[in-house]
Amino acid sequence: PATTAVAEAVALYEDDRYAQAVLRLREARDEGDPSAVDDAANVVAKIRATEAELVDMLEAMFDDDDDVSSTGKGGRWRPAYVARGVTVAVDRRRQWGDRLLRVRCQGQRSDVDVFGVCAALFEIACFPEWMPGVDEAIVERTYSKFRKIVRVSGPKPWPFRRDECIVEAYGDVVKCGALLRGAKKKTSAAAAAASHSAASSSSSRKGVFICLKPSYEVARTKGRHYAEITGGWFVERSAEATPSNTTNGKGVALTLVARIDPKLRFVPSWVVNFIIRQIAFLFIPMVASFATQFLPGGPKQHLIEEKPEIYAEIRRRLDSLEDDDDGARCRRRSFSDDDDVDVGSECGGSAEAPKISPPPPPPREGARRGGDDEEVGTRGQQQQREAAPHRTSPGIAARSPSPRQREDRSAAATVSSAPHRSPHTSPRALPVLVALLAVAFVLIV
């Protein structure tokens, strides 16, 4: 059985299912199969190398531990700035002797889905259309569907040579909790704390990873300046995504971790770090904006139609992440001790149909009068909603309210029905204020 597990891990790796191959090889290793740790086995060695690269990247991405005792200097990532909705942070845990920074960029977009971002990152030839400073992108070698060696280059002002970067890129879907929980124990205390923090913060996270590392299997172009990049992407549904499956629901969260070495001997490292830190945020809004062109009816939709098998496989793998979505929602839901609710069939209860909460009560008299009384009634309804200790949702049936809840609701209703002048500015006066501010701005200029 252990030998069969190794054979299954090899088959998964050759099918570009890297996360599953790593997990299957771990099972064989735990069962004591000697072939699971044999360096002479070429594919097994590649799976173990993929495990190390993937675990290191995900731990770096999700290590949000702010415990000072773990490092003596605070959390791993030191926030640098926020630009265009992207949070940029620099890694405090650089290896000894390494003067170059590793940066992490995190951002969200609500106008694109995960499938569109995957398509934008898969179409290598389109990189010059969105990647800053790049005007050439070529696939030099294709090992499999989702593992390639890519050459990208960009011009620099005369008399400097063109920059060139050759990377090996591979990706797949991953459920981070299972992968990080089974990783090998770290030797140092700081690394162990980072591993524990990453496993805790990513237990329910799942998405698409893309690993990037320098490749030395392809010859460099003569007359060009060579640079290296190490890191990767993680694309997942954002918390505000529309409630549908991954391939159709808009709303993504993107994370990029990268260490860029421009190989400039005569330029101080602090200058290189300053430049990289200032431009790193551009990658996320640019790739997200370009990904909107892969939406149905977009100008890049023909690229998806030209590769039906590839993109059908991408959709299947994205859909596989949603198989246990209901169970994940059930595990994430928590209630306070005084909440008087029943958990329905969504969380493993009875098989009856979920009970839907009743519609909200109609607006009171004050809300139908218009003008200031309408604003008072609306505010009163909002106070009434905030006064409720919990809100029912599909799969959760609320019982009769407690006496304290009835008190709060009657108080809110009294406020909503009491006619008085609103202390806030009337909506009718807003255009006048905007016009006055605009005139004042023009006069000042």
Side-chain angles (χ1 to χ4, degrees), residues 66-395:
D66 293 329
D67 185 9
V68 178
S69 62
S70 62
T71 61
K73 300 180 180 179
R76 174 171 190 158
W77 295 100
R78 176 171 56 83
Y81 62 93
V82 179
R84 294 176 63 175
V86 178
T87 303
V88 180
V90 296
D91 193 354
R92 285 191 176 101
R93 300 178 188 172
R94 288 180 288 175
Q95 295 181 357
W96 185 86
D98 187 3
R99 298 184 177 181
L100 297 177
L101 292 176
R102 179 158 66 166
V103 297
R104 183 182 71 175
C105 305
Q106 294 178 308
Q108 297 188 15
R109 287 288 292 263
S110 60
D111 58 344
V112 69
D113 55 6
V114 177
F115 178 80
V117 177
C118 292
L121 294 173
F122 181 79
E123 295 294 338
I124 307 298
C126 296
F127 279 10
E129 300 184 35
W130 65 267
M131 189 174 290
V134 172
D135 64 354
E136 179 184 281
I138 303 172
V139 177
E140 291 288 349
R141 189 172 299 176
T142 301
Y143 294 108
S144 57
K145 296 187 297 290
F146 305 121
R147 193 180 195 102
K148 307 176 186 296
I149 293 182
V150 181
R151 184 196 306 271
V152 295
S153 72
K156 285 194 300 187
W158 186 87
F160 301 102
R161 297 178 294 171
R162 288 178 62 91
D163 283 330
E164 180 178 85
C165 185
I166 302 175
V167 298
E168 181 178 349
Y170 62 94
D172 189 17
V173 296
V174 62
K175 297 177 181 179
C176 302
L179 189 69
L180 294 181
R181 281 195 301 269
K184 289 185 178 181
K185 301 299 182 181
K186 305 296 181 178
T187 54
S188 65
S195 178
H196 176 73
S197 171
S200 302
S201 61
S202 64
S203 58
S204 61
R205 301 182 73 166
K206 51 189 177 181
V208 179
F209 75 88
I210 300 176
C211 281
L212 307 173
K213 62 179 181 178
S215 175
Y216 306 101
E217 300 182 12
V218 176
R220 305 176 187 175
T221 306
K222 293 184 179 180
R224 294 185 178 181
H225 178 77
Y226 181 71
E228 289 184 353
I229 180 171
T230 306
W233 291 84
F234 188 79
V235 187
E236 59 185 328
R237 288 181 62 190
S238 63
E240 295 80 13
T242 53
S244 59
N245 61 31
T246 305
T247 57
N248 297 324
K250 292 184 180 179
V252 296
L254 297 97
T255 304
L256 171 65
V257 170
R259 178 190 178 276
I260 302 176
D261 185 0
K263 302 290 185 182
L264 299 175
R265 298 181 180 178
F266 304 105
V267 178
S269 59
W270 66 268
V271 176
V272 175
N273 292 334
F274 176 80
I275 296 174
I276 293 175
R277 188 168 51 199
Q278 299 304 315
I279 67 173
F281 77 95
L282 292 172
F283 287 92
I284 287 183
M286 286 186 172
V287 71
S289 298
F290 184 73
T292 58
Q293 301 186 28
F294 291 89
L295 295 174
K300 299 297 182 182
Q301 184 68 25
H302 67 279
L303 296 176
I304 299 177
E305 298 171 355
E306 293 172 0
K307 308 178 184 69
E309 295 181 358
I310 293 292
Y311 285 104
E313 178 65 19
I314 293 176
R315 287 189 184 276
R316 281 195 294 270
R317 298 194 182 192
L318 292 177
D319 291 339
S320 69
L321 293 176
E322 304 304 314
D323 292 343
D324 61 343
D325 203 26
D326 293 338
R329 284 197 300 267
C330 174
R331 288 190 298 271
R332 287 194 298 267
R333 183 178 293 117
S334 60
F335 303 100
S336 59
D337 295 336
D338 58 347
D339 282 334
D340 198 5
V341 297
D342 286 336
V343 179
S345 59
E346 182 181 1
C347 294
S350 62
E352 299 178 358
K355 300 180 181 180
I356 309 299
S357 58
R364 297 183 177 274
E365 186 66 26
R368 292 195 294 266
R369 294 177 182 175
D372 295 333
D373 290 342
E374 180 179 359
E375 185 178 356
V376 172
T378 304
R379 189 172 65 255
Q381 293 174 17
Q382 180 158 359
Q383 291 178 359
Q384 181 179 357
R385 287 194 298 267
E386 293 175 353
H390 64 271
R391 298 177 62 183
T392 58
S393 60

